[in-house]
Amino acid sequence: MTEYERSRTMPAQPEHVFDQAANVGQLDTWLPGELHVESAGLPAVTVHEDRTDEDTSALLRSRPEQMRLEWGTRDQGSYAGWLQVAGIGSGASEVTVHLSFFDEGHDPGEQAVSEALDGSLRRLEEQVRLRVDNAAG
């Protein structure tokens, strides 16, 4: 099993960050560009990966009371992950994403995962900023 984790501080209330991250209709705005999530009725989702051109049955659970998202493959159990939002005071939040690959064949490698996590957290922060700025304006 291989695990990866990244965190990023965002200048927004944790509720705003979590609401943006957990919005299933807008996951494509911050997930890696090669991943596309379609919901057929939560928690069931289908994840399409452009790299392999495959659809994977997965689960996505939102736990708003904990400000946590959890996901993983449904049938083959090859990966799982979670996103946790925590308030750190002064209107800021810390977002942590953790990925676990149980099947080495599904792990794209440390460099690819690190770049994907960093890029996803950066895009999530951009989406949160847009939402907060639009709400304030």
Side-chain angles (χ1 to χ4, degrees):
M1 178 171 74
T2 308
E3 298 187 89
Y4 303 96
E5 190 169 291
R6 283 284 190 281
S7 295
R8 185 177 182 101
T9 300
M10 300 188 186
Q13 296 289 338
E15 296 80 10
H16 295 299
V17 176
F18 181 78
D19 287 349
Q20 184 64 44
N23 185 333
V24 176
Q26 293 189 357
L27 289 175
D28 283 357
T29 65
W30 66 271
L31 286 177
E34 64 275 359
L35 295 178
H36 310 282
V37 178
E38 289 187 29
S39 172
L42 293 176
V45 295
T46 300
V47 179
H48 180 81
E49 186 175 354
D50 291 344
R51 181 175 61 96
T52 60
D53 196 32
E54 293 180 3
D55 290 338
T56 302
S57 296
L59 297 172
L60 175 65
R61 293 196 193 326
S62 176
R63 303 194 187 284
E65 70 284 355
Q66 299 173 356
M67 285 194 271
R68 183 178 178 92
L69 288 176
E70 299 171 345
W71 60 85
T73 51
R74 237 185 342 199
D75 301 327
Q76 66 273 54
S78 40
Y79 74 89
W82 51 261
L83 176 144
Q84 180 73 53
V85 180
I88 56 174
S90 302
S93 303
E94 181 175 59
V95 180
T96 302
V97 178
H98 183 95
L99 298 176
S100 300
F101 291 92
F102 307 110
D103 174 356
E104 286 185 30
H106 204 78
D107 180 359
E110 184 173 357
Q111 181 176 350
V113 173
S114 294
E115 289 173 4
L117 287 173
D118 289 339
S120 291
L121 287 168
R122 185 182 65 253
R123 285 187 300 278
L124 178 58
E125 181 178 359
E126 291 168 4
Q127 292 302 311
V128 169
R129 284 181 191 265
L130 287 170
R131 182 175 181 216
V132 170
D133 289 350
N134 286 340

